[in-house]
Structures are given as structure tokens and as C-alpha cells.
mmCIF file of all heavy atoms in Angstrom:
data_model
loop_
_atom_site.group_PDB
_atom_site.id
_atom_site.type_symbol
_atom_site.label_atom_id
_atom_site.label_comp_id
_atom_site.label_asym_id
_atom_site.label_seq_id
_atom_site.Cartn_x
_atom_site.Cartn_y
_atom_site.Cartn_z
ATOM 1 N N VAL A 155 -13.429 11.882 -30.947
ATOM 2 C CA VAL A 155 -11.998 11.545 -30.962
ATOM 3 C C VAL A 155 -11.440 11.423 -29.554
ATOM 4 O O VAL A 155 -10.818 10.413 -29.214
ATOM 5 C CB VAL A 155 -11.208 12.568 -31.798
ATOM 6 C CG1 VAL A 155 -9.714 12.324 -31.665
ATOM 7 C CG2 VAL A 155 -11.638 12.488 -33.255
ATOM 8 N N PRO A 156 -11.606 12.430 -28.683
ATOM 9 C CA PRO A 156 -11.094 12.276 -27.313
ATOM 10 C C PRO A 156 -11.763 11.131 -26.574
ATOM 11 O O PRO A 156 -11.153 10.504 -25.715
ATOM 12 C CB PRO A 156 -11.388 13.632 -26.663
ATOM 13 C CG PRO A 156 -12.415 14.249 -27.504
ATOM 14 C CD PRO A 156 -12.163 13.763 -28.891
ATOM 15 N N PHE A 157 -13.017 10.840 -26.900
ATOM 16 C CA PHE A 157 -13.707 9.723 -26.256
ATOM 17 C C PHE A 157 -12.997 8.411 -26.581
ATOM 18 O O PHE A 157 -12.706 7.580 -25.709
ATOM 19 C CB PHE A 157 -15.166 9.663 -26.713
ATOM 20 C CG PHE A 157 -15.905 8.458 -26.203
ATOM 21 C CD1 PHE A 157 -16.359 8.417 -24.896
ATOM 22 C CD2 PHE A 157 -16.131 7.371 -27.033
ATOM 23 C CE1 PHE A 157 -17.028 7.301 -24.422
ATOM 24 C CE2 PHE A 157 -16.809 6.260 -26.564
ATOM 25 C CZ PHE A 157 -17.253 6.221 -25.253
ATOM 26 N N LEU A 158 -12.678 8.210 -27.879
ATOM 27 C CA LEU A 158 -11.998 6.996 -28.300
ATOM 28 C C LEU A 158 -10.580 6.934 -27.743
ATOM 29 O O LEU A 158 -10.103 5.874 -27.348
ATOM 30 C CB LEU A 158 -11.966 6.924 -29.834
ATOM 31 C CG LEU A 158 -13.341 6.787 -30.503
ATOM 32 C CD1 LEU A 158 -13.181 6.802 -32.014
ATOM 33 C CD2 LEU A 158 -14.043 5.507 -30.047
ATOM 34 N N VAL A 159 -9.905 8.077 -27.734
ATOM 35 C CA VAL A 159 -8.574 8.125 -27.152
ATOM 36 C C VAL A 159 -8.620 7.743 -25.678
ATOM 37 O O VAL A 159 -7.768 7.009 -25.170
ATOM 38 C CB VAL A 159 -7.952 9.524 -27.326
ATOM 39 C CG1 VAL A 159 -6.657 9.644 -26.534
ATOM 40 C CG2 VAL A 159 -7.693 9.807 -28.799
ATOM 41 N N GLY A 160 -9.631 8.210 -24.988
ATOM 42 C CA GLY A 160 -9.781 7.875 -23.571
ATOM 43 C C GLY A 160 -10.008 6.394 -23.366
ATOM 44 O O GLY A 160 -9.422 5.780 -22.469
ATOM 45 N N ILE A 161 -10.854 5.795 -24.202
ATOM 46 C CA ILE A 161 -11.110 4.367 -24.092
ATOM 47 C C ILE A 161 -9.840 3.572 -24.338
ATOM 48 O O ILE A 161 -9.519 2.619 -23.625
ATOM 49 C CB ILE A 161 -12.212 3.940 -25.096
ATOM 50 C CG1 ILE A 161 -13.551 4.577 -24.705
ATOM 51 C CG2 ILE A 161 -12.329 2.430 -25.146
ATOM 52 C CD1 ILE A 161 -14.080 4.127 -23.364
ATOM 53 N N ALA A 162 -9.089 3.951 -25.365
ATOM 54 C CA ALA A 162 -7.840 3.256 -25.678
ATOM 55 C C ALA A 162 -6.842 3.376 -24.537
ATOM 56 O O ALA A 162 -6.125 2.423 -24.204
ATOM 57 C CB ALA A 162 -7.248 3.813 -26.969
ATOM 58 N N SER A 163 -6.779 4.536 -23.913
ATOM 59 C CA SER A 163 -5.861 4.753 -22.802
ATOM 60 C C SER A 163 -6.227 3.864 -21.621
ATOM 61 O O SER A 163 -5.356 3.269 -20.976
ATOM 62 C CB SER A 163 -5.871 6.219 -22.384
ATOM 63 O OG SER A 163 -5.465 7.047 -23.461
ATOM 64 N N ILE A 164 -7.518 3.792 -21.329
ATOM 65 C CA ILE A 164 -7.975 2.952 -20.222
ATOM 66 C C ILE A 164 -7.643 1.494 -20.495
ATOM 67 O O ILE A 164 -7.179 0.752 -19.622
ATOM 68 C CB ILE A 164 -9.487 3.134 -20.003
ATOM 69 C CG1 ILE A 164 -9.767 4.557 -19.502
ATOM 70 C CG2 ILE A 164 -10.015 2.107 -19.003
ATOM 71 C CD1 ILE A 164 -11.230 4.886 -19.417
ATOM 72 N N ALA A 165 -7.864 1.051 -21.745
ATOM 73 C CA ALA A 165 -7.575 -0.341 -22.109
ATOM 74 C C ALA A 165 -6.088 -0.641 -21.958
ATOM 75 O O ALA A 165 -5.698 -1.715 -21.480
ATOM 76 C CB ALA A 165 -8.032 -0.608 -23.541
ATOM 77 N N ALA A 166 -5.247 0.308 -22.376
ATOM 78 C CA ALA A 166 -3.803 0.109 -22.260
ATOM 79 C C ALA A 166 -3.383 0.007 -20.801
ATOM 80 O O ALA A 166 -2.549 -0.832 -20.429
ATOM 81 C CB ALA A 166 -3.065 1.243 -22.950
ATOM 82 N N ILE A 167 -3.969 0.862 -19.962
ATOM 83 C CA ILE A 167 -3.643 0.834 -18.531
ATOM 84 C C ILE A 167 -4.051 -0.501 -17.915
ATOM 85 O O ILE A 167 -3.321 -1.105 -17.128
ATOM 86 C CB ILE A 167 -4.319 2.004 -17.810
ATOM 87 C CG1 ILE A 167 -3.698 3.335 -18.274
ATOM 88 C CG2 ILE A 167 -4.187 1.867 -16.289
ATOM 89 C CD1 ILE A 167 -4.441 4.551 -17.775
ATOM 90 N N LEU A 168 -5.234 -0.983 -18.274
ATOM 91 C CA LEU A 168 -5.704 -2.268 -17.746
ATOM 92 C C LEU A 168 -4.787 -3.406 -18.196
ATOM 93 O O LEU A 168 -4.479 -4.315 -17.421
ATOM 94 C CB LEU A 168 -7.141 -2.523 -18.212
ATOM 95 C CG LEU A 168 -8.218 -1.647 -17.566
ATOM 96 C CD1 LEU A 168 -9.575 -1.933 -18.197
ATOM 97 C CD2 LEU A 168 -8.274 -1.901 -16.054
ATOM 98 N N ALA A 169 -4.365 -3.369 -19.461
ATOM 99 C CA ALA A 169 -3.489 -4.425 -19.970
ATOM 100 C C ALA A 169 -2.175 -4.460 -19.210
ATOM 101 O O ALA A 169 -1.664 -5.534 -18.844
ATOM 102 C CB ALA A 169 -3.245 -4.220 -21.464
ATOM 103 N N VAL A 170 -1.604 -3.309 -18.971
ATOM 104 C CA VAL A 170 -0.356 -3.239 -18.218
ATOM 105 C C VAL A 170 -0.554 -3.735 -16.793
ATOM 106 O O VAL A 170 0.280 -4.458 -16.235
ATOM 107 C CB VAL A 170 0.187 -1.792 -18.228
ATOM 108 C CG1 VAL A 170 1.377 -1.652 -17.273
ATOM 109 C CG2 VAL A 170 0.590 -1.384 -19.636
ATOM 110 N N SER A 171 -1.669 -3.354 -16.196
ATOM 111 C CA SER A 171 -1.946 -3.772 -14.823
ATOM 112 C C SER A 171 -2.057 -5.286 -14.729
ATOM 113 O O SER A 171 -1.541 -5.911 -13.797
ATOM 114 C CB SER A 171 -3.236 -3.108 -14.334
ATOM 115 O OG SER A 171 -3.118 -1.712 -14.337
ATOM 116 N N VAL A 172 -2.752 -5.895 -15.681
ATOM 117 C CA VAL A 172 -2.902 -7.358 -15.688
ATOM 118 C C VAL A 172 -1.551 -8.032 -15.853
ATOM 119 O O VAL A 172 -1.233 -9.025 -15.186
ATOM 120 C CB VAL A 172 -3.880 -7.788 -16.809
ATOM 121 C CG1 VAL A 172 -3.851 -9.296 -16.991
ATOM 122 C CG2 VAL A 172 -5.273 -7.323 -16.483
ATOM 123 N N ALA A 173 -0.721 -7.470 -16.754
ATOM 124 C CA ALA A 173 0.603 -8.056 -16.985
ATOM 125 C C ALA A 173 1.449 -7.990 -15.725
ATOM 126 O O ALA A 173 2.151 -8.947 -15.372
ATOM 127 C CB ALA A 173 1.290 -7.335 -18.139
ATOM 128 N N VAL A 174 1.410 -6.855 -15.038
ATOM 129 C CA VAL A 174 2.183 -6.704 -13.804
ATOM 130 C C VAL A 174 1.691 -7.669 -12.748
ATOM 131 O O VAL A 174 2.475 -8.305 -12.025
ATOM 132 C CB VAL A 174 2.107 -5.251 -13.291
ATOM 133 C CG1 VAL A 174 2.708 -5.133 -11.896
ATOM 134 C CG2 VAL A 174 2.822 -4.328 -14.259
ATOM 135 N N TYR A 175 0.381 -7.816 -12.657
ATOM 136 C CA TYR A 175 -0.196 -8.722 -11.661
ATOM 137 C C TYR A 175 0.252 -10.157 -11.928
ATOM 138 O O TYR A 175 0.648 -10.891 -11.016
ATOM 139 C CB TYR A 175 -1.725 -8.633 -11.695
ATOM 140 C CG TYR A 175 -2.410 -9.616 -10.769
ATOM 141 C CD1 TYR A 175 -2.549 -9.353 -9.405
ATOM 142 C CD2 TYR A 175 -2.885 -10.828 -11.260
ATOM 143 C CE1 TYR A 175 -3.153 -10.270 -8.563
ATOM 144 C CE2 TYR A 175 -3.510 -11.744 -10.423
ATOM 145 C CZ TYR A 175 -3.638 -11.470 -9.067
ATOM 146 O OH TYR A 175 -4.245 -12.369 -8.232
ATOM 147 N N ARG A 176 0.177 -10.559 -13.180
ATOM 148 C CA ARG A 176 0.569 -11.928 -13.522
ATOM 149 C C ARG A 176 2.053 -12.171 -13.249
ATOM 150 O O ARG A 176 2.465 -13.250 -12.825
ATOM 151 C CB ARG A 176 0.254 -12.201 -14.986
ATOM 152 C CG ARG A 176 -1.246 -12.340 -15.250
ATOM 153 C CD ARG A 176 -1.503 -12.549 -16.732
ATOM 154 N NE ARG A 176 -2.935 -12.781 -16.965
ATOM 155 C CZ ARG A 176 -3.474 -12.910 -18.178
ATOM 156 N NH1 ARG A 176 -2.686 -12.823 -19.266
ATOM 157 N NH2 ARG A 176 -4.771 -13.117 -18.313
ATOM 158 N N TRP A 177 2.858 -11.161 -13.541
ATOM 159 C CA TRP A 177 4.290 -11.312 -13.313
ATOM 160 C C TRP A 177 4.625 -11.442 -11.839
ATOM 161 O O TRP A 177 5.415 -12.280 -11.425
ATOM 162 C CB TRP A 177 5.026 -10.129 -13.919
ATOM 163 C CG TRP A 177 6.498 -10.107 -13.591
ATOM 164 C CD1 TRP A 177 7.129 -9.377 -12.647
ATOM 165 C CD2 TRP A 177 7.500 -10.908 -14.222
ATOM 166 N NE1 TRP A 177 8.464 -9.638 -12.643
ATOM 167 C CE2 TRP A 177 8.726 -10.584 -13.591
ATOM 168 C CE3 TRP A 177 7.484 -11.864 -15.246
ATOM 169 C CZ2 TRP A 177 9.922 -11.195 -13.965
ATOM 170 C CZ3 TRP A 177 8.674 -12.460 -15.611
ATOM 171 C CH2 TRP A 177 9.875 -12.126 -14.973
ATOM 172 N N THR A 178 4.001 -10.616 -11.009
ATOM 173 C CA THR A 178 4.292 -10.634 -9.566
ATOM 174 C C THR A 178 3.685 -11.841 -8.873
ATOM 175 O O THR A 178 4.092 -12.208 -7.779
ATOM 176 C CB THR A 178 3.781 -9.343 -8.901
ATOM 177 O OG1 THR A 178 2.383 -9.202 -9.176
ATOM 178 C CG2 THR A 178 4.516 -8.116 -9.429
ATOM 179 N N ASN A 179 2.711 -12.456 -9.476
ATOM 180 C CA ASN A 179 2.042 -13.599 -8.831
ATOM 181 C C ASN A 179 2.296 -14.907 -9.597
ATOM 182 O O ASN A 179 1.552 -15.881 -9.444
ATOM 183 C CB ASN A 179 0.538 -13.343 -8.743
ATOM 184 C CG ASN A 179 0.182 -12.246 -7.762
ATOM 185 O OD1 ASN A 179 0.076 -12.468 -6.561
ATOM 186 N ND2 ASN A 179 0.010 -11.023 -8.302
ATOM 187 N N ARG A 180 3.314 -14.944 -10.426
ATOM 188 C CA ARG A 180 3.577 -16.145 -11.193
ATOM 189 C C ARG A 180 4.083 -17.251 -10.276
ATOM 190 O O ARG A 180 4.671 -16.989 -9.226
ATOM 191 C CB ARG A 180 4.600 -15.839 -12.280
ATOM 192 C CG ARG A 180 6.002 -15.541 -11.775
ATOM 193 C CD ARG A 180 6.863 -14.979 -12.908
ATOM 194 N NE ARG A 180 8.255 -14.799 -12.508
ATOM 195 C CZ ARG A 180 8.681 -13.816 -11.746
ATOM 196 N NH1 ARG A 180 7.826 -12.912 -11.289
ATOM 197 N NH2 ARG A 180 9.973 -13.715 -11.432
ATOM 198 N N LYS A 181 3.891 -18.504 -10.639
ATOM 199 C CA LYS A 181 4.332 -19.648 -9.868
ATOM 200 C C LYS A 181 5.509 -20.332 -10.577
ATOM 201 O O LYS A 181 5.440 -20.632 -11.771
ATOM 202 C CB LYS A 181 3.181 -20.636 -9.712
ATOM 203 C CG LYS A 181 2.034 -20.096 -8.879
ATOM 204 C CD LYS A 181 0.948 -21.139 -8.733
ATOM 205 C CE LYS A 181 -0.198 -20.600 -7.874
ATOM 206 N NZ LYS A 181 -1.284 -21.594 -7.701
ATOM 207 N N PHE A 182 6.555 -20.543 -9.804
ATOM 208 C CA PHE A 182 7.707 -21.194 -10.346
ATOM 209 C C PHE A 182 7.708 -22.677 -9.928
ATOM 210 O O PHE A 182 7.328 -23.001 -8.801
ATOM 211 C CB PHE A 182 9.003 -20.540 -9.826
ATOM 212 C CG PHE A 182 9.159 -19.122 -10.316
ATOM 213 C CD1 PHE A 182 8.767 -18.055 -9.508
ATOM 214 C CD2 PHE A 182 9.699 -18.865 -11.562
ATOM 215 C CE1 PHE A 182 8.937 -16.761 -9.949
ATOM 216 C CE2 PHE A 182 9.857 -17.571 -11.994
ATOM 217 C CZ PHE A 182 9.455 -16.511 -11.204
ATOM 218 N N PRO A 183 8.141 -23.600 -10.769
ATOM 219 C CA PRO A 183 8.213 -25.017 -10.378
ATOM 220 C C PRO A 183 9.292 -25.251 -9.313
ATOM 221 O O PRO A 183 10.302 -24.552 -9.280
ATOM 222 C CB PRO A 183 8.557 -25.718 -11.701
ATOM 223 C CG PRO A 183 9.238 -24.683 -12.517
ATOM 224 C CD PRO A 183 8.582 -23.379 -12.141
ATOM 225 N N ASN A 184 9.005 -26.178 -8.418
ATOM 226 C CA ASN A 184 9.968 -26.478 -7.365
ATOM 227 C C ASN A 184 11.215 -27.125 -7.966
ATOM 228 O O ASN A 184 11.134 -28.048 -8.787
ATOM 229 C CB ASN A 184 9.364 -27.443 -6.351
ATOM 230 C CG ASN A 184 8.255 -26.774 -5.580
ATOM 231 O OD1 ASN A 184 8.329 -25.593 -5.307
ATOM 232 N ND2 ASN A 184 7.234 -27.554 -5.216
ATOM 233 N N PRO A 185 12.379 -26.659 -7.594
ATOM 234 C CA PRO A 185 13.612 -27.232 -8.134
ATOM 235 C C PRO A 185 13.821 -28.657 -7.593
ATOM 236 O O PRO A 185 13.480 -28.978 -6.463
ATOM 237 C CB PRO A 185 14.690 -26.283 -7.665
ATOM 238 C CG PRO A 185 14.127 -25.662 -6.426
ATOM 239 C CD PRO A 185 12.655 -25.569 -6.661
ATOM 240 N N LYS A 186 14.325 -29.568 -8.409
ATOM 241 C CA LYS A 186 14.620 -30.938 -7.985
ATOM 242 C C LYS A 186 15.980 -30.992 -7.313
ATOM 243 O O LYS A 186 16.961 -30.477 -7.837
ATOM 244 C CB LYS A 186 14.598 -31.853 -9.203
ATOM 245 C CG LYS A 186 13.224 -31.995 -9.827
ATOM 246 C CD LYS A 186 13.259 -32.936 -11.002
ATOM 247 C CE LYS A 186 11.875 -33.058 -11.652
ATOM 248 N NZ LYS A 186 11.891 -33.997 -12.800
#
């Protein structure tokens, strides 16, 4: 049980990290 909980926690942390990275490095279109 703690093993699975640990895996789920790590996966959640990675998902949040990826989301933050994508948000901070997103590209906006140049305004006309």
C-alpha cells in the first residue's frame, strides 16, 4: 500500500511539474 501511494505521489508531482514548465515556457502569437 505505501509503495503504491508513493508511486502515485511521484506521478502527481511530475504531472504538476510538467504543467508548470509548459505554462512558464508557452509561446504567445505576435500581435498584429
Side-chain angles (χ1 to χ4, degrees):
V155 173
F157 174 78
L158 295 177
V159 171
I161 294 297
S163 300
I164 293 173
I167 293 171
L168 289 176
V170 171
S171 299
V172 170
V174 171
Y175 176 81
R176 288 177 176 175
W177 173 260
T178 56
N179 291 277
R180 69 191 186 284
K181 294 182 179 180
F182 294 97
N184 292 325
K186 293 181 181 181

